[in-house]
Amino acid sequence: MPNERHILLLPGSLRAGSTNETVLRTAAAVAAAAQGLRATYYGGLAGLPHFNPDHDTDPLPEPVVGLRAAIETADALLVCTPEYAGTLPGAFKNLLDWTVGGIEISDKPTGWINAAGPGRGLGAEATLRTVLGYTGAAVLDEACVRLPLERGAVGPDGLVADPLVRERIGEVLARLAAG
């Protein structure tokens, strides 16, 4: 499709079946049902090596090449990450560290969905905004939302079943696609 917009979905959690993974997999399903929109779930978080500035040179480690290529080919980025110990989980911060030395994320429309319960996840949001500032990402405030998700909202297929939540996810995707 010539005018198709591609959004890369970046999970911040390594935990299988996490709420954050559920939100992003639902975003992929919502995008698949939308006209002119495609979303790809990035599954390489666990395979990234620990960031070391000495290794942020050519030739880059293969998993980092894959990450940067995925970011470069996307039109926008959507993050969903938990908060751990008041900030981003280490594995996700590592992913972001690998983007600082590249230019792929620069000016890329970026948003996030905070799926944590009320009053939670604010430290992760603040850190995410700070780190994305260093990468040069174009954070779209209108695509950064709090969407608390309860386990009961997940259907038997592992996706968000609530139509209102799915609609809100669709709105975020539309904002990113327009970004």
Side-chain angles (χ1 to χ4, degrees):
M1 199 177 256
N3 293 328
E4 183 177 68
R5 301 289 290 169
H6 175 220
I7 299 173
L8 182 64
L9 308 172
L10 295 172
S13 177
L14 289 172
R15 201 181 97 211
S18 75
T19 302
N20 301 281
E21 178 183 331
T22 298
V23 167
L24 291 179
R25 293 213 182 270
T26 302
V30 169
Q35 187 83 8
L37 191 57
R38 177 172 59 97
T40 305
Y41 184 89
Y42 175 74
L45 182 62
L48 291 170
H50 295 293
F51 177 74
N52 179 337
D54 292 336
H55 299 151
D56 196 7
T57 60
D58 287 327
L60 288 167
E62 195 55 41
V64 176
V65 171
L67 168 67
R68 289 186 179 179
I71 292 170
E72 184 172 14
T73 61
D75 295 305
L77 309 174
L78 177 60
V79 173
C80 192
T81 182
E83 179 175 276
Y84 187 76
T87 190
L88 296 172
F92 190 66
K93 175 62 168 65
N94 184 58
L95 178 149
L96 292 173
D97 287 344
W98 278 112
T99 69
V100 173
I103 59 167
E104 300 81 8
I105 201 169
S106 183
D107 297 323
K108 186 83 56 175
T110 304
W112 62 76
I113 295 175
N114 179 343
R120 300 185 60 212
L122 300 177
E125 279 187 37
T127 304
L128 187 57
R129 186 175 295 280
T130 297
V131 176
L132 288 172
Y134 279 97
T135 68
V139 175
L140 302 180
D141 288 333
E142 63 274 15
C144 299
V145 301
R146 297 186 56 77
L147 195 55
L149 185 65
E150 306 216 2
R151 281 276 165 213
V154 179
D157 60 356
L159 302 177
V160 176
D162 184 324
L164 294 177
V165 174
R166 290 175 75 100
E167 182 179 326
R168 297 247 354 251
I169 291 171
E171 290 168 0
V172 170
L173 292 170
R175 290 173 187 150
L176 286 169

